Amino acid sequence: MTAMTMSAILSPLFIYWNPDPIAFHIFSHGFRWYAICWAVGLLLGYFLMQRLYRQQNIPQDKFDPLFLYIFIGVIAGARLGHCLFYEPSYFLPRPLEIILPISHTATGWQCTGYAGLSSHGGVIGMIIAIVLYVRRYKVNFMRVLDNMGVCGPLVGFFIRMGNLFNSEIVGRPTDMPWGFIFAANGETFARHPGQLYEALAYLLIFIIGLIIYSRHRDKAGTGFYFGWCLSTVFIFRFFVEYVKDVQESFEQGMLLDMGQILSIPFIIIGLYCLFGGKLCKRWGDGGVYHDVPLRKKK
């Protein structure tokens, strides 16, 4: 089987899923599908955000530094979120492993990559990065959040597809005909493809949000699109957890797992913005671009 071959075989009952995680090699270096999905998602998000800035007549020099802020904020937030929300007992005594893609094994230090990223932490990191960005470049806070709300679900789609290629974040066992047998995990029974459920939901949320934006650009800068993104993504995330397998041992027996608990505040914030909360009006620009830093309007 070549690197590009996908061993996803549709059987009368289930889907046998065993793709090669390496998409291709350049010399001796293999490029993983997971990394490619991340790169494609971020690249498409970059170009879409650039298009939104142009449509809204926001100067190009204010757009250029945004990608760096978002990239660092999302990666740092996602990494810290995983370490602090899901494995604090392991990582807090090993802070070096939080920062660097290394792990101390029985044979010494090894480069293992960042094994663990949290979507909730990524969103928190993104918001903090946007706060720093708007303070520095004086672009309206709610407008940047709204533009991220339009682009974000598309990036989420590609990230979850990367999880699917990695056969991670799997669902619970199922006898449904669309169940996936994740052979890479050494399994011979079918599970719900939780990653695929999320990916398709995020793609649908993106398409609907983009259609609404194309007809109601005046809502950009009011918090509406940021609220749309947060509320729909995390409401779906809350319910899809019921068909996903337990990610960490401490979640066994919990009424709500960590993903659901962390989703609740995002849902509340999303609905607040979607229905035009007072802070959104205070920090927004009424749908008309002008240079406004993040501060309380008098």
Side-chain angles (χ1 to χ4, degrees):
M1 183 178 69
T2 64
M4 290 296 292
T5 300
M6 305 296 172
S7 298
I9 304 171
L10 182 62
S11 72
L13 293 178
F14 306 117
I15 298 172
Y16 183 82
W17 182 251
N18 191 29
D20 189 335
I22 305 298
F24 57 88
H25 289 81
I26 295 181
F27 300 111
S28 61
H29 182 73
F31 289 83
R32 300 178 65 91
W33 285 108
Y34 181 74
I36 292 173
C37 287
W38 263 88
V40 171
L42 290 174
L43 189 64
L44 291 178
Y46 173 89
F47 286 120
L48 178 57
M49 178 68 83
Q50 186 178 54
R51 182 179 178 85
L52 297 180
Y53 264 54
R54 287 174 178 171
Q55 289 176 347
Q56 297 164 18
N57 298 317
I58 304 176
Q60 178 68 27
D61 63 341
K62 294 183 181 294
F63 169 77
D64 291 335
L66 178 63
F67 181 79
L68 181 61
Y69 276 81
I70 296 298
F71 181 80
I72 295 175
V74 169
I75 296 299
R79 180 59 178 166
L80 286 171
H82 173 81
C83 296
L84 299 180
F85 296 152
Y86 290 94
E87 297 186 84
S89 60
Y90 176 84
F91 282 104
L92 287 179
R94 303 172 178 85
L96 196 61
E97 294 185 30
I98 298 177
I99 302 171
L100 301 176
I102 59 175
S103 181
H104 191 268
T105 66
T107 58
W109 291 99
Q110 292 185 0
C111 183
T112 56
Y114 290 117
L117 297 172
S118 163
S119 58
H120 299 89
V123 173
I124 295 172
M126 179 195 76
I127 294 174
I128 293 174
I130 289 175
V131 170
L132 297 175
Y133 163 79
V134 300
R135 285 188 178 277
R136 174 67 178 82
Y137 293 96
K138 306 300 185 293
V139 181
N140 182 268
F141 181 55
M142 295 310 304
R143 179 166 291 275
V144 179
L145 288 181
D146 272 346
N147 288 341
M148 287 301 305
V150 175
C151 304
L154 179 62
V155 181
F157 163 76
F158 282 99
I159 291 173
R160 282 297 181 250
M161 289 303 296
N163 296 138
L164 181 62
F165 280 109
N166 266 4
S167 297
E168 58 190 3
I169 315 181
V170 299
R172 300 179 186 273
T174 182
D175 57 2
M176 296 296 183
W178 58 81
F180 275 46
I181 298 175
F182 292 98
N185 298 339
E187 298 177 346
T188 57
F189 58 91
R191 291 180 177 273
H192 283 286
Q195 328 91 321
L196 186 59
Y197 294 165
E198 287 192 69
L200 295 177
Y202 298 162
L203 182 61
L204 180 61
I205 291 168
F206 165 71
I207 292 172
I208 294 174
L210 193 62
I211 292 173
I212 297 174
Y213 173 80
S214 68
R215 298 176 180 177
H216 300 282
R217 293 183 185 176
D218 58 303
K219 289 184 177 292
T222 66
F224 176 85
Y225 294 106
F226 180 63
W228 162 259
C229 176
L230 277 192
S231 59
T232 55
V233 165
F234 286 104
I235 286 174
F236 185 85
R237 174 67 188 273
F238 182 92
F239 287 106
V240 80
E241 291 292 321
Y242 285 112
V243 299
K244 287 165 64 176
D245 202 10
V246 173
Q247 301 298 307
E248 301 293 340
S249 58
F250 71 84
E251 295 178 313
Q252 294 284 356
M254 293 175 62
L255 179 62
L256 299 177
D257 65 22
M258 183 59 73
Q260 291 172 313
I261 293 171
L262 293 173
S263 293
I264 292 173
F266 288 105
I267 294 171
I268 294 172
I269 294 171
L271 293 174
Y272 177 85
C273 294
L274 185 64
F275 293 106
K278 290 183 179 180
L279 288 178
C280 296
K281 295 176 181 179
R282 183 175 299 174
W283 290 339
D285 60 12
V288 180
Y289 171 71
H290 50 85
D291 291 337
V292 180
L294 177 59
R295 64 172 182 267
K296 182 184 292 187
K297 291 183 177 180
K298 299 180 180 179

